[in-house]
């Protein structure tokens, strides 16, 4: 019998495996993954960005941990920042600054001076990450976790987890007996939890990312979050962008919705940045957000009804950046019975069972 079976070898499962085998050498860990190409994994389809601009202190601290992890392990990291546009960020700014995030507030005149390509009409204030925010090599981070975990003794098993059985995981071809199970199945975690009689409020919601060309350059362009719900950032010689979808049903096919761009996104982007009038769609892709509809925050920890069943789900679009911190925290909780590096107890099952949401207001898309 193995010590820990982790269902899902995307970035979250790989992070847990990395930290378990690093913190306790010799522990037997098996990662169960049905798609060795990771073609549909949320980690492979992410825009791989990182920010400290959250409304919940626990999320700010996880991002600070993540940024430092990227630097220490030489994961390519472009610290060009996030720029939130809106009216009044003072309340969330206080939370972020108290946690040590390097965020500044800019009035309308400062925005127009710093970003001359930006149309600040209707904007009263901007919130800009000066350091520790931007975008990074998400596949590089995933590869680091997975390769390191295997070097440290974790085993990758190519199989499909069908259900959680007593004392193990029912696979397509076998039953994997184990002492503990980690549900790291991302957008598919809800069905897996249901097989154990647990209602996990995590739903697979499709998000389209557009790759756009534009002859104009935008000097010093960060990742911009517009109050209208869309975002964009440079990506080498092109831009990538996304929007809040009009159709947000569960489990939509992973096919890009090109109509989102033509039915309003282009017009709104060109309003905010006049040079974007010349935007052209080069291609697009779609991935799933694993949306926690209860409060848009992650669920990390064990369920009281199943102490040996651990969860690391529902990151609602910010999983890549939080994978280093979340994986370490869950490994600590499993091994030591407590969080040691970061206290992630606010993200446990307790607030869900008590119907006391910890709402994250700064959700993108």
């Amino acid at each position: 019998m193995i010590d820990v079976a982790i269902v899902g070898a995307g970035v979250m499962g790989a992070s847990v495996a990395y930290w378990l085998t690093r913190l306790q050498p010799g522990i037997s860990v098996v990662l169960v993954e049905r798609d060795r190409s990771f073609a549909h994994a949320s980690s492979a389809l992410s825009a791989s960005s990182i920010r400290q601009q959250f409304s919940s202190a626990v999320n700010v601290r996880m991002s600070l941990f993540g940024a430092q992890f990227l630097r220490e392990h030489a994961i390519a990291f472009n610290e060009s920042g996030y720029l939130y546009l809106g009216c009044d960020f003072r309340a969330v700014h206080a939370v972020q600054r108290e946690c040590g995030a390097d965020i500044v507030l800019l009035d309308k005149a400062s925005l127009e001076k710093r970003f001359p390509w930006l149309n600040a009409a209707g904007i009263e204030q901007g919130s800009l990450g000066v350091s520790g925010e931007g975008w990074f090599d998400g596949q590089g981070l995933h590869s680091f976790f997975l390769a390191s975990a295997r070097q440290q003794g974790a085993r990758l098993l190519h199989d499909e987890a069908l259900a959680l059985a007593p004392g193990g995981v029912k696979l397509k071809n076998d039953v994997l007996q184990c002492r503990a199970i980690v549900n790291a199945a991302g957008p598919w975690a809800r069905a897996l939890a249901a097989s154990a009689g647990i209602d996990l409020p995590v739903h697979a919601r499709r998000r389209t990312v557009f790759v756009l060309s534009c002859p104009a350059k935008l000097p010093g362009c960060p990742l911009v979050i517009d109050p209208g719900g869309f975002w964009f950032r440079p990506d080498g010689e092109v831009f990538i962008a996304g929007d809040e979808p009009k159709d947000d049903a569960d489990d939509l096919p992973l096919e890009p919705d090109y109509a989102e761009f033509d039915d309003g996104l282009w017009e709104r982007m060109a309003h905010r940045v006049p040079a974007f009038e010349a935007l052209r769609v080069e291609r697009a892709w779609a991935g799933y957000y694993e949306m926690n509809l209860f409060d848009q925050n992650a669920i990390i920890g064990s369920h009281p009804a199943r102490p040996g069943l651990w969860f690391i789900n529902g990151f609602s679009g910010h999983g890549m950046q939080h994978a280093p911190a979340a994986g370490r925290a869950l490994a600590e909780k499993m091994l030591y019975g407590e969080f040691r590096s970061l206290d992630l107890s606010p993200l446990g099952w307790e607030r869900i069972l008590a119907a006391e949401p910890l709402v994250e207001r700064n959700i993108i898309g």
Side-chain angles (χ1 to χ4, degrees):
M1 178 179 287
I2 63 168
D3 293 317
V4 182
I6 302 174
V7 180
V11 71
M12 211 58 72
S15 177
V16 176
Y18 166 78
W19 288 112
L20 283 171
T21 53
R22 176 176 170 177
L23 297 174
Q24 186 173 308
I27 189 173
S28 56
V29 175
V30 173
L31 285 152
V32 180
E33 177 56 55
R34 64 182 178 183
D35 178 14
R36 294 283 289 272
S37 72
F38 299 101
H40 296 100
S42 295
S43 50
L45 298 169
S46 167
S48 301
S49 305
I50 183 168
R51 58 187 165 106
Q52 280 84 60
Q53 296 187 65
F54 289 94
S55 65
S56 305
V58 65
N59 288 328
V60 179
R61 295 190 176 103
M62 280 199 286
S63 289
L64 288 166
F65 184 99
Q68 188 59 31
F69 187 92
L70 294 174
R71 298 185 191 110
E72 290 177 354
H73 294 84
I75 306 296
F77 182 15
N78 184 325
E79 295 189 54
S80 291
Y82 267 66
L83 174 62
Y84 271 81
L85 301 174
C87 295
D88 188 355
F89 296 103
R90 288 175 295 178
V92 292
H93 183 254
V95 173
Q96 296 154 7
R97 294 293 294 177
E98 185 176 349
C99 294
D102 190 9
I103 313 295
V104 297
L105 297 183
L106 304 172
D107 60 21
K108 183 174 181 178
S110 299
L111 283 169
E112 292 173 334
K113 181 177 180 180
R114 187 160 187 161
F115 306 109
W117 40 263
L118 182 72
N119 173 16
I123 302 299
E124 297 179 16
Q125 195 175 63
S127 179
L128 176 66
V130 178
S131 66
E133 293 194 331
W135 45 96
F136 61 95
D137 180 1
Q139 293 194 30
L141 178 65
H142 180 215
S143 296
F144 170 82
F145 279 139
L146 191 56
S148 299
R150 298 179 75 180
Q151 289 169 5
Q152 293 165 184
R155 183 162 59 96
L156 182 61
L157 176 63
H158 183 204
D159 209 327
E160 182 176 1
L162 301 179
L164 301 179
V169 181
K170 183 180 180 182
L171 305 175
K172 189 174 183 180
N173 300 312
D174 200 359
V175 174
L176 185 62
Q177 299 294 328
C178 55
R179 295 180 176 85
I181 302 167
V182 176
N183 183 345
W188 302 277
R190 180 176 174 82
L192 194 65
S195 72
I198 294 173
D199 182 15
L200 180 69
V202 174
H203 298 252
R205 297 294 176 87
R206 183 181 67 190
R207 296 294 183 268
T208 298
V209 178
F210 298 98
V211 180
L212 307 165
S213 61
C214 180
K217 305 300 179 186
L218 309 185
C221 184
L223 193 156
V224 178
I225 312 296
D226 191 85
F230 67 88
W231 62 270
F232 65 87
R233 70 164 171 86
D235 190 51
E237 296 300 312
V238 296
F239 293 88
I240 61 174
D243 196 7
E244 293 178 348
K246 294 178 182 177
D247 183 0
D248 204 19
D250 288 350
D251 304 311
L252 292 173
L254 281 182
E255 299 173 358
D257 184 0
Y258 283 94
E260 287 182 14
F261 184 78
D262 295 326
D263 293 347
L265 177 57
W266 186 5
E267 180 180 356
R268 286 180 290 138
M269 289 183 69
H271 169 75
R272 186 61 63 205
V273 179
F276 280 167
E277 187 69 35
L279 280 178
R280 184 176 69 183
V281 177
E282 297 295 334
R283 58 188 182 280
W285 77 85
Y288 285 132
Y289 270 15
E290 45 168 328
M291 290 295 295
N292 176 6
L293 299 187
F294 179 72
D295 61 8
Q296 294 78 52
N297 263 316
I299 301 168
I300 300 173
S302 62
H303 193 286
R306 289 286 301 270
L309 176 57
W310 300 83
F311 293 80
I312 187 165
N313 312 107
F315 287 82
S316 305
H318 44 271
M320 284 294 291
Q321 61 192 294
H322 287 167
R328 175 162 184 146
L330 185 61
E332 290 173 348
K333 189 72 170 176
M334 294 176 71
L335 296 174
Y336 312 134
E338 63 180 2
F339 297 117
R340 294 188 175 180
S341 55
L342 286 173
D343 180 9
L344 301 192
S345 54
L347 300 178
W349 271 97
E350 291 75 14
R351 100 259 190 196
I352 296 173
L353 299 177
E356 297 175 351
L358 174 69
V359 176
E360 174 53 56
R361 296 193 299 273
N362 284 13
I363 294 296
I364 300 173

